[in-house]
Amino acid sequence: MLDRYWYGDTGRISPEAPVPVVNVNNTEDRAGGAGNVALNIAVLGCEVTLCGITGDDEAAQSLEEILQHQKVNCHFEKRSNQQTITKLRLMSRSQQLLRADFEKDFSLTNGLNIEALSKLIEQHDVVVLSDYGKGTLADPQPIIQAALVSNKPVIVDPKGSDFTKYRQSTLITPNQSEFDTIAGKASSEEDFFERGRKTRQSLNIDSLLVTRSEKGMALFSANQEPYLQPTQAREVYDVTGAGDTVVATLASSIAAGTSITEAVQIANLAAGVVVGKLGTATVTPQELSYAMLQQQPLQQGVTTELELIELLKQAKASGEKVVMTNGCFDILHSGHVTYLKQAAQLGDRLIVAVNSDDSVSRLKGPSRPINPSQQRMEVLAELSSVDWVVEFTEDTPQRLIEALQPNILVKGGDYKVEEIAGSESVLANGGDVIILDFVDGVSTTKIIEAAKNK
């Protein structure tokens, strides 16, 4: 389906009828229906082929261009006796004034070419049947059977009051209202669970996933207790397209080799992200990684270089900006605390690289450090501004900086950028080097001298 939007200003009422006159000044076409599911899958980084029936018309061409631009492979059966289903919305001042639908009943035409579909199924990992009740999937059994022959899982986003046509599929994903229509409205949670078990068994499907809005999701699988996932949305702005995102994430996860339970967990997080956006939206891998990090925060504190490299992979995959600084931090004072707080405000994560005891001695003299490295690192790790503390043994942290590749390198004092160890590597990788002022009159050396004079 093609979703078409016409935008314009309204300033007067028509003399022909009591309706506003819209001066259209902008138009937009979007992929709707199963096209939005395919778009969600493509944004998640999967290769996806969209199959379906369209007319041989301008709307089909526009739909194809939109999808191909997002790297969706289009396998449309264009038929001259059909018109591509198009939903035209007339918008003014963020309000929808009118929707006009252009469509014919596709159930009156021949179904999809099963021979061509069977060949495509063999080349893919998962089959998604996105049913919008328009007739293309009036009889989905030939597709389901072709997938079974190729040993490919089939995920169904159903429509209507007859789910028997989806029998033998792998997973069906009705919302609560759709489930109530085919199974009857439950009088209690226990009754709902029982109806879910019986529905799954009667349809001879592996799993049934009911999406329940604010109640989250309920998964029914053979020989297992119902698996419940609470909703992850913090603020709900718009539920438009959330079902498409759930199906797309389920399919992408299963194609990547996860279990159905794991796929449901990931899809639930994706739904929580997408309902926090306005309008039909997609979820990026970066947003999904960030949502996962909120569920299982990364380990913080004193760490090793190898452990930190792995932690940074996860942080960067979720779009977090990593800041790094370094120093001896022999006697932690208010100047250090202020400096580290300022550094942390430049990004999402702060790494503090600390000179080893031998390194401090070479730089400061044999009487230093006052505090051994383990104590210095443990104190730094307790600061709320610091995420990770790591030791380096060289005179400068250049090798460590090159290994960790922070987004921002911070140094305090009167330096030029080119004088800062590791700056060249950070800049070459598109990062920034920032110099912060130290707090005047506060330094470890002055604290030590003052202590000696007492």
Side-chain angles (χ1 to χ4, degrees), residues 153-169:
V154 180
I155 299 172
V156 180
D157 187 5
K159 196 76 171 179
S161 57
D162 179 17
F163 282 15
T164 59
K165 66 180 182 178
Y166 307 124
R167 65 189 179 278
Q168 291 187 282
S169 54

mmCIF file of all heavy atoms in Angstrom, residues 153-169:
data_model
loop_
_atom_site.group_PDB
_atom_site.id
_atom_site.type_symbol
_atom_site.label_atom_id
_atom_site.label_comp_id
_atom_site.label_asym_id
_atom_site.label_seq_id
_atom_site.Cartn_x
_atom_site.Cartn_y
_atom_site.Cartn_z
ATOM 1 N N PRO A 153 10.892 -20.871 8.838
ATOM 2 C CA PRO A 153 9.839 -20.432 9.761
ATOM 3 C C PRO A 153 8.930 -19.390 9.114
ATOM 4 O O PRO A 153 9.383 -18.577 8.301
ATOM 5 C CB PRO A 153 10.612 -19.840 10.936
ATOM 6 C CG PRO A 153 11.969 -19.519 10.402
ATOM 7 C CD PRO A 153 12.239 -20.492 9.306
ATOM 8 N N VAL A 154 7.642 -19.419 9.500
ATOM 9 C CA VAL A 154 6.651 -18.486 8.960
ATOM 10 C C VAL A 154 6.051 -17.678 10.110
ATOM 11 O O VAL A 154 5.481 -18.239 11.049
ATOM 12 C CB VAL A 154 5.517 -19.228 8.224
ATOM 13 C CG1 VAL A 154 4.502 -18.227 7.666
ATOM 14 C CG2 VAL A 154 6.078 -20.093 7.106
ATOM 15 N N ILE A 155 6.191 -16.360 10.027
ATOM 16 C CA ILE A 155 5.617 -15.453 11.024
ATOM 17 C C ILE A 155 4.420 -14.750 10.391
ATOM 18 O O ILE A 155 4.532 -14.200 9.287
ATOM 19 C CB ILE A 155 6.653 -14.415 11.481
ATOM 20 C CG1 ILE A 155 7.854 -15.124 12.120
ATOM 21 C CG2 ILE A 155 6.037 -13.429 12.471
ATOM 22 C CD1 ILE A 155 9.016 -14.201 12.428
ATOM 23 N N VAL A 156 3.284 -14.774 11.084
ATOM 24 C CA VAL A 156 2.060 -14.202 10.526
ATOM 25 C C VAL A 156 1.566 -13.049 11.385
ATOM 26 O O VAL A 156 1.365 -13.199 12.599
ATOM 27 C CB VAL A 156 0.941 -15.264 10.437
ATOM 28 C CG1 VAL A 156 -0.330 -14.647 9.852
ATOM 29 C CG2 VAL A 156 1.386 -16.461 9.609
ATOM 30 N N ASP A 157 1.372 -11.896 10.760
ATOM 31 C CA ASP A 157 0.649 -10.781 11.377
ATOM 32 C C ASP A 157 -0.769 -10.875 10.822
ATOM 33 O O ASP A 157 -1.024 -10.511 9.675
ATOM 34 C CB ASP A 157 1.297 -9.450 10.993
ATOM 35 C CG ASP A 157 0.686 -8.282 11.752
ATOM 36 O OD1 ASP A 157 -0.164 -8.519 12.623
ATOM 37 O OD2 ASP A 157 1.065 -7.137 11.478
ATOM 38 N N PRO A 158 -1.717 -11.422 11.624
ATOM 39 C CA PRO A 158 -3.011 -11.848 11.078
ATOM 40 C C PRO A 158 -4.039 -10.733 10.940
ATOM 41 O O PRO A 158 -3.874 -9.641 11.468
ATOM 42 C CB PRO A 158 -3.476 -12.873 12.116
ATOM 43 C CG PRO A 158 -2.941 -12.321 13.416
ATOM 44 C CD PRO A 158 -1.610 -11.683 13.071
ATOM 45 N N LYS A 159 -5.104 -11.075 10.241
ATOM 46 C CA LYS A 159 -6.230 -10.158 10.073
ATOM 47 C C LYS A 159 -7.512 -10.981 9.948
ATOM 48 O O LYS A 159 -7.502 -12.074 9.377
ATOM 49 C CB LYS A 159 -6.038 -9.299 8.810
ATOM 50 C CG LYS A 159 -6.929 -8.077 8.736
ATOM 51 C CD LYS A 159 -6.424 -6.990 9.659
ATOM 52 C CE LYS A 159 -7.165 -5.688 9.459
ATOM 53 N NZ LYS A 159 -6.689 -4.632 10.370
ATOM 54 N N GLY A 160 -8.603 -10.471 10.489
ATOM 55 C CA GLY A 160 -9.887 -11.137 10.317
ATOM 56 C C GLY A 160 -10.252 -12.043 11.481
ATOM 57 O O GLY A 160 -9.570 -12.101 12.504
ATOM 58 N N SER A 161 -11.341 -12.783 11.306
ATOM 59 C CA SER A 161 -11.882 -13.627 12.372
ATOM 60 C C SER A 161 -11.642 -15.108 12.148
ATOM 61 O O SER A 161 -12.092 -15.937 12.928
ATOM 62 C CB SER A 161 -13.392 -13.374 12.508
ATOM 63 O OG SER A 161 -14.050 -13.625 11.271
ATOM 64 N N ASP A 162 -10.923 -15.460 11.085
ATOM 65 C CA ASP A 162 -10.639 -16.868 10.794
ATOM 66 C C ASP A 162 -9.138 -17.092 10.736
ATOM 67 O O ASP A 162 -8.492 -16.795 9.734
ATOM 68 C CB ASP A 162 -11.288 -17.271 9.469
ATOM 69 C CG ASP A 162 -11.002 -18.720 9.108
ATOM 70 O OD1 ASP A 162 -10.583 -19.489 10.015
ATOM 71 O OD2 ASP A 162 -11.179 -19.087 7.933
ATOM 72 N N PHE A 163 -8.577 -17.606 11.826
ATOM 73 C CA PHE A 163 -7.137 -17.863 11.868
ATOM 74 C C PHE A 163 -6.790 -19.273 11.393
ATOM 75 O O PHE A 163 -5.611 -19.614 11.312
ATOM 76 C CB PHE A 163 -6.608 -17.675 13.304
ATOM 77 C CG PHE A 163 -6.414 -16.232 13.708
ATOM 78 C CD1 PHE A 163 -6.966 -15.198 12.970
ATOM 79 C CD2 PHE A 163 -5.662 -15.915 14.831
ATOM 80 C CE1 PHE A 163 -6.801 -13.877 13.347
ATOM 81 C CE2 PHE A 163 -5.488 -14.592 15.210
ATOM 82 C CZ PHE A 163 -6.063 -13.572 14.474
ATOM 83 N N THR A 164 -7.797 -20.080 11.083
ATOM 84 C CA THR A 164 -7.492 -21.442 10.634
ATOM 85 C C THR A 164 -6.725 -21.437 9.313
ATOM 86 O O THR A 164 -6.008 -22.396 9.005
ATOM 87 C CB THR A 164 -8.788 -22.267 10.467
ATOM 88 O OG1 THR A 164 -9.648 -21.632 9.507
ATOM 89 C CG2 THR A 164 -9.510 -22.409 11.793
ATOM 90 N N LYS A 165 -6.855 -20.363 8.562
ATOM 91 C CA LYS A 165 -6.120 -20.301 7.289
ATOM 92 C C LYS A 165 -4.612 -20.186 7.507
ATOM 93 O O LYS A 165 -3.826 -20.403 6.594
ATOM 94 C CB LYS A 165 -6.627 -19.148 6.419
ATOM 95 C CG LYS A 165 -6.376 -17.747 6.975
ATOM 96 C CD LYS A 165 -6.923 -16.696 6.015
ATOM 97 C CE LYS A 165 -6.653 -15.286 6.504
ATOM 98 N NZ LYS A 165 -7.145 -14.269 5.543
ATOM 99 N N TYR A 166 -4.197 -19.841 8.755
ATOM 100 C CA TYR A 166 -2.765 -19.723 9.055
ATOM 101 C C TYR A 166 -2.221 -20.989 9.727
ATOM 102 O O TYR A 166 -1.088 -20.975 10.238
ATOM 103 C CB TYR A 166 -2.522 -18.539 9.998
ATOM 104 C CG TYR A 166 -3.104 -17.226 9.544
ATOM 105 C CD1 TYR A 166 -3.991 -16.528 10.361
ATOM 106 C CD2 TYR A 166 -2.770 -16.664 8.308
ATOM 107 C CE1 TYR A 166 -4.523 -15.309 9.973
ATOM 108 C CE2 TYR A 166 -3.305 -15.451 7.907
ATOM 109 C CZ TYR A 166 -4.183 -14.772 8.752
ATOM 110 O OH TYR A 166 -4.713 -13.573 8.359
ATOM 111 N N ARG A 167 -2.979 -22.071 9.760
ATOM 112 C CA ARG A 167 -2.549 -23.286 10.457
ATOM 113 C C ARG A 167 -1.190 -23.769 9.950
ATOM 114 O O ARG A 167 -0.856 -23.596 8.775
ATOM 115 C CB ARG A 167 -3.601 -24.387 10.314
ATOM 116 C CG ARG A 167 -3.809 -24.870 8.890
ATOM 117 C CD ARG A 167 -5.019 -25.795 8.775
ATOM 118 N NE ARG A 167 -5.210 -26.236 7.384
ATOM 119 C CZ ARG A 167 -5.807 -25.541 6.444
ATOM 120 N NH1 ARG A 167 -6.316 -24.348 6.747
ATOM 121 N NH2 ARG A 167 -5.930 -26.015 5.217
ATOM 122 N N GLN A 168 -0.443 -24.337 10.879
ATOM 123 C CA GLN A 168 0.901 -24.887 10.622
ATOM 124 C C GLN A 168 1.984 -23.810 10.418
ATOM 125 O O GLN A 168 3.110 -24.149 10.071
ATOM 126 C CB GLN A 168 0.906 -25.848 9.415
ATOM 127 C CG GLN A 168 0.158 -27.150 9.685
ATOM 128 C CD GLN A 168 0.325 -28.136 8.552
ATOM 129 O OE1 GLN A 168 -0.321 -28.008 7.514
ATOM 130 N NE2 GLN A 168 1.215 -29.097 8.736
ATOM 131 N N SER A 169 1.634 -22.559 10.631
ATOM 132 C CA SER A 169 2.687 -21.537 10.595
ATOM 133 C C SER A 169 3.493 -21.620 11.892
ATOM 134 O O SER A 169 3.123 -22.327 12.839
ATOM 135 C CB SER A 169 2.095 -20.146 10.403
ATOM 136 O OG SER A 169 1.112 -19.869 11.368
#
